[in-house]
Amino acid sequence: MRLVWRRGAVRLVLVSAIAWAMLVLLALAFLLWSCSSSVAFLSALCKKDSKVLNVLGSMGLSSKPLHRCPIPVADDPNAVAIPKRTPNTIVKKLSYITVDKQDKVPSPLFGGRQNWKQREESFKLNSTMKVHCGFMKNSGVDMDSADVKYIQKCKFVVASGIFDGYDMPRQPSNISHRSQKLFCFLMVVDEVSLDFIGKNTSVRIDSSGGKWVGIWRLITVHRLPFDEPRRNGKIPKILTHRLFPQAWYSIWIDGKMELIVDPLLILERYLWRGKYTFAVAVHKHHRSIYEEGDAIKRRKRYARPLVDLQMKIYYYEGMEPWSPKKKMPSDVPEGAVLIREHTTMTDLFSCLWFNEVNLFTPRDQISFGYVVHRLGDALKFFMFPNCEYNSLFILHKHTREHSSKVEWAKTIDEIVKKGLKESRGGLGLWTPYPADLSSVELPTVKRTSSAG
């Protein structure tokens, strides 16, 4: 009798232990999901100082959270005074090349056929300048007439973009009534993304034919100019002033982001308070473009030999690795949030940055620091702490992982033989450089993080 009772007790203990373990696992699963949730209460469970997060971390069940810190923004958007526009000083007049003399084909390249001499001249500052800046005549990126008419009134812009259906529009939060009236929220999409969004959420069409998802006005662009969705995505991101030429100020956020700070407070904090015309965050891990290039190769985000070639050109042209002696806190930005006043100097910087992306790889974090280096002190910009950058938004996952065959290529021969070379972008990598790069050795990279 005692033996039967003992066996029953052991079974009861085992069943209870199993049930308890299952409850713990379910709780942990819920808490892990909460960390990436867009619901404020749930995501708050995983703040930097959260006890929940500490427990998960000690068990090896969670990744390290984003380091967020308070942003010293003004308390009330209604109290923010909008200053006068920054005067144009160094470059007073900026215009754009829209037709290349040597371009006789019926379908011109969107970025033009900039040669090495024109590229070099574009970095020499003058009071009047004319440069390549995308949007070559008849090269694509056409908008619907209703959208062209709508954006003419947009002087304050929050812009984002979705290409190839990789994301869904995320509605901003904490937007004041004043900012809702002041800002145009413009989501640039291609036809594939418009179809994807229409099948997965409600799209409202107004009386003029404009398409809306919540606060976002969907701006559809037709005739995409590049083979790569990533390269197409650089057009609204970098050339915001060309796509929306009436804009005085713009805030760009990547399509996978949900903005959680009032845009008027962002302009006051990052531009007006310090009298800047451009603001971007410091990269979380990397300071040197050569370290960033090394991470891109490790993560297979673009063909390794082409990344090396771009960095060799930059090193040959005098781009030294970042060091504390440099005036700027980093040569590598977190490029998913760009805050700009559209002065001629800021617009010129954007043009030159895009030209590098067009000539070389679409990895814009490599070329950003190079263009800053070439312009010297002419661009007055603010690189703010990464922890503040993380406090501007909630990050969501892409609908799927982006991948292209060229990203995995290990040799030039492999790219050529397999036909992986892009036909409309990155052509500077295939145009003979006017100097011998064979003896150029890239700086040794000391990996300071496990990123990638």
Side-chain angles (χ1 to χ4, degrees):
M1 190 75 174
R2 287 182 181 178
L3 183 61
V4 172
W5 180 85
R6 286 176 181 173
R7 287 177 178 173
V10 169
R11 286 174 183 169
L12 182 61
V13 170
L14 287 172
V15 170
S16 299
I18 293 171
W20 175 250
M22 290 180 67
L23 285 172
V24 169
L25 288 173
L26 286 171
L28 289 174
F30 170 76
L31 293 170
L32 284 168
W33 169 78
S34 299
C35 293
S36 59
S37 172
S38 61
V39 180
F41 167 73
L42 296 176
S43 60
L45 293 171
C46 291
K47 292 190 297 184
K48 180 186 175 185
D49 56 352
S50 168
K51 292 181 179 179
V52 169
L53 194 62
N54 291 335
V55 171
L56 292 176
S58 66
M59 299 175 71
L61 294 173
S62 73
S63 58
K64 190 175 181 180
L66 295 174
H67 178 203
R68 303 179 190 271
C69 60
I71 307 174
V73 292
D75 295 329
D76 182 10
N78 294 316
V80 173
I82 299 174
K84 291 182 179 180
R85 299 287 309 283
T86 302
N88 296 316
T89 54
I90 300 174
V91 179
K92 296 182 179 181
K93 184 179 179 181
L94 178 65
S95 58
Y96 310 113
I97 296 170
T98 57
V99 177
D100 280 321
K101 293 180 180 178
Q102 67 271 33
D103 198 349
K104 297 180 180 180
V105 295
S107 300
L109 297 174
F110 178 81
R113 300 178 187 275
Q114 184 189 45
N115 58 43
W116 295 111
K117 183 179 179 181
Q118 289 173 320
R119 174 178 177 265
E120 186 61 30
E121 289 295 318
S122 70
F123 291 108
K124 298 176 182 178
L125 300 181
N126 293 290
S127 60
T128 300
M129 296 188 68
K130 189 172 186 178
V131 298
H132 282 85
C133 198
F135 292 91
M136 301 296 282
K137 188 177 180 180
N138 299 323
S139 64
V141 193
D142 305 322
M143 289 189 286
D144 297 329
S145 57
D147 294 332
V148 172
K149 184 177 180 180
Y150 178 82
I151 65 174
Q152 288 177 357
K153 72 183 184 71
C154 298
K155 290 183 168 56
F156 291 77
V157 170
V158 175
S160 188
I162 298 174
F163 287 81
D164 213 30
Y166 281 106
D167 300 290
M168 284 289 293
R170 307 289 179 177
Q171 296 305 311
S173 57
N174 304 312
I175 310 300
S176 66
H177 182 65
R178 184 186 183 191
S179 287
Q180 290 180 39
K181 294 177 63 177
L182 184 65
F183 284 82
C184 295
F185 290 79
L186 307 176
M187 177 70 71
V188 182
V189 298
D190 60 359
E191 294 170 357
V192 172
S193 300
L194 180 65
D195 181 64
F196 176 78
I197 292 167
K199 290 178 180 177
N200 288 278
T201 191
S202 176
V203 177
R204 177 176 65 87
I205 302 178
D206 63 23
S207 58
S208 66
K211 302 175 181 65
W212 299 82
V213 174
I215 201 172
W216 291 107
R217 168 79 175 221
L218 301 182
I219 306 294
T220 310
V221 290
H222 309 279
R223 291 204 302 142
L224 297 181
F226 295 116
D227 307 328
E228 276 277 316
R230 274 205 184 106
R231 213 182 280 274
N232 287 318
K234 305 307 177 189
I235 297 170
K237 173 181 177 176
I238 300 178
L239 297 183
T240 313
H241 70 289
R242 297 283 277 136
L243 202 59
F244 311 125
Q246 281 74 32
W248 293 351
Y249 299 94
S250 70
I251 300 169
W252 167 269
I253 61 170
D254 278 1
K256 62 182 178 180
M257 292 175 157
E258 174 189 336
L259 187 67
I260 58 175
V261 177
D262 187 283
L264 198 56
L265 298 183
I266 291 175
L267 292 182
E268 191 282 327
R269 159 67 178 126
Y270 295 109
L271 297 186
W272 300 335
R273 191 180 303 181
K275 301 187 186 308
Y276 297 105
T277 59
F278 190 107
V280 66
V282 173
H283 194 276
K284 180 179 180 181
H285 298 294
H286 308 137
R287 296 290 182 268
S288 168
I289 67 166
Y290 302 105
E291 187 178 9
E292 173 67 13
D294 178 70
I296 289 169
K297 291 188 293 180
R298 278 187 287 148
R299 294 160 57 204
K300 297 180 176 63
R301 289 295 186 256
Y302 205 72
R304 299 176 191 180
L306 300 185
V307 173
D308 277 340
L309 179 55
Q310 182 178 4
M311 292 194 296
K312 281 187 175 184
I313 290 172
Y314 287 173
Y315 192 56
Y316 177 84
E317 293 179 343
M319 181 67 184
E320 293 291 332
W322 183 87
S323 74
K325 295 179 181 179
K326 290 194 174 186
K327 293 182 180 179
M328 56 193 297
S330 173
D331 286 332
V332 185
E334 288 283 9
V337 174
L338 304 174
I339 306 162
R340 287 173 280 203
E341 179 184 1
H342 293 289
T343 64
T344 52
M345 180 55 71
T346 303
D347 292 348
L348 174 65
F349 172 81
S350 298
C351 291
L352 300 182
W353 187 15
F354 178 81
N355 289 343
E356 295 298 293
V357 169
N358 177 61
L359 280 171
F360 302 121
T361 73
R363 308 311 306 185
D364 55 25
Q365 288 167 305
I366 295 178
S367 48
F368 176 90
Y370 172 79
V371 178
V372 171
H373 159 71
R374 291 300 303 267
L375 292 181
D377 296 328
L379 179 69
K380 186 173 173 53
F381 74 103
F382 178 30
M383 290 195 85
F384 55 90
N386 187 271
C387 62
E388 288 189 27
Y389 161 84
N390 290 328
S391 299
L392 291 171
F393 59 85
I394 295 172
L395 187 64
H396 297 269
K397 292 182 178 179
H398 290 302
T399 57
R400 67 185 191 279
E401 278 299 312
H402 173 89
S403 182
S404 68
K405 294 178 180 178
V406 72
E407 294 178 349
W408 297 82
K410 296 180 180 179
T411 65
I412 295 290
D413 286 344
E414 182 182 353
I415 296 171
V416 174
K417 289 178 181 178
K418 293 186 178 181
L420 302 179
K421 188 175 80 172
E422 293 181 67
S423 63
R424 296 178 287 177
L427 302 186
L429 295 167
W430 304 94
T431 304
Y433 184 71
D436 183 7
L437 301 173
S438 60
S439 61
V440 176
E441 293 187 11
L442 290 174
T444 303
V445 172
K446 182 180 179 181
R447 294 175 180 175
T448 59
S449 75
S450 57

